[in-house]
Amino acid sequence: MITFVTSNRHKFEEVSAIFNDAGIELSWEQMKYEEIQADTTEEVSRNSCIKLIGQIHGDFFIEDTGLFIDSLKGFPGVYSSYVQKTIGNDGIIRLLKDRPDNAMFKTVLTAYINGTIKQFTGILEGSIASDERGEGGFGYDPVFIPSGYGKTLSEMDLTEKNRVSHRFRAVKGLVESLARNDH
Ligand code: ITT
């Protein structure tokens, strides 16, 4: 049994489906924790996890996700949450007008298991759509088209998103580690 600390219900639903398939018990601590700002997603994720030690009962993990757009030199990256709340998907589309649209999602999951910190990363390459499409998912999903797919993450259902996503790839690392009991 391990606890996922996140305020985001969509993240929990995606991760919960992966744990369910693996037959590992997952609990949800729905709280907004202090995100410790840093230059990389790895550091933000690690620092935020360390801050939570002593506040969460038993083994737990958090994850920090960012959208990195090549032609904007990786922006919004560690500012993804602020940018989503301010200029939003529409603002991203306008920023990208006439620029190449290659982008990636990166999820860095940091787990605190048996007193040890472990990180797992998942990347999804893709591009930014020229308009918002689809109803599913959350955040940047309506404007993100995974490489090799003709549709946005919002046009996929949860099962389909979970087959390709950055979050799935990071969580897979954790689930495999838990199954091997190698910590
Ligand atoms: P917690 O920190 O409580 O887990 P959050 O929603 O604040 O939840 P992040 O800081 O990791 O999570 O997210 C940064 C931004 O990226 C935020 O605006 C999210 O909506 C967006 N985001 C994260 N994962 C995403 C995904 O799989 N698809 C689309 N947008 C995503």
Side-chain angles (χ1 to χ4, degrees), residues 56-157:
I56 309 294
H57 184 71
D59 295 340
F60 72 93
F61 66 94
I62 60 156
E63 60 98 310
D64 195 56
T65 297
L67 174 71
F68 297 79
I69 299 173
D70 291 2
S71 59
L72 302 179
K73 300 190 190 312
F75 182 85
V78 293
Y79 307 108
S80 293
S81 185
Y82 182 73
V83 168
Q84 177 63 224
K85 274 188 275 201
T86 52
I87 64 171
N89 291 330
D90 186 49
I92 290 288
I93 289 167
R94 273 189 277 123
L95 271 179
L96 272 189
K97 221 175 186 318
D98 302 325
R99 286 198 174 92
D101 56 11
N102 296 17
M104 70 164 181
F105 267 120
K106 176 148 87 171
T107 293
V108 181
L109 185 161
T110 308
Y112 187 66
I113 303 170
N114 286 340
T116 308
I117 290 209
K118 283 196 140 201
Q119 273 197 336
F120 303 90
T121 301
I123 284 173
L124 176 63
E125 309 265 9
S127 60
I128 303 298
S130 50
D131 48 17
E132 294 188 54
R133 291 196 324 241
E135 301 298 324
F138 65 100
Y140 296 101
D141 282 347
V143 293
F144 191 90
I145 303 171
S147 299
Y149 287 79
K151 55 184 174 183
T152 67
L153 286 172
S154 275
E155 292 174 298
M156 300 180 173
D157 63 18

Side-chain angles (χ1 to χ4, degrees), residues 6-8 11 32 65 84 138 140-141 161 166-167:
T6 178
S7 63
N8 186 321
K11 280 188 180 181
K32 187 80 211 154
T65 297
Q84 177 63 224
F138 65 100
Y140 296 101
D141 282 347
K161 180 179 174 186
H166 42 294
R167 179 160 299 104

Side-chain angles (χ1 to χ4, degrees), residues 15-69:
V15 172
S16 168
I18 303 164
F19 270 75
N20 219 16
D21 287 348
I24 300 174
E25 220 186 313
L26 179 71
S27 79
W28 181 15
E29 181 68 54
Q30 186 174 21
M31 67 181 262
K32 187 80 211 154
Y33 51 84
E34 190 189 350
E35 216 161 78
I36 312 296
Q37 215 38 259
D39 289 345
T40 65
T41 310
E42 284 77 5
E43 286 173 275
V44 173
S45 182
R46 186 184 169 84
N47 295 347
S48 305
C49 177
I50 288 170
K51 269 277 199 183
L52 282 171
I53 295 173
Q55 292 183 54
I56 309 294
H57 184 71
D59 295 340
F60 72 93
F61 66 94
I62 60 156
E63 60 98 310
D64 195 56
T65 297
L67 174 71
F68 297 79
I69 299 173

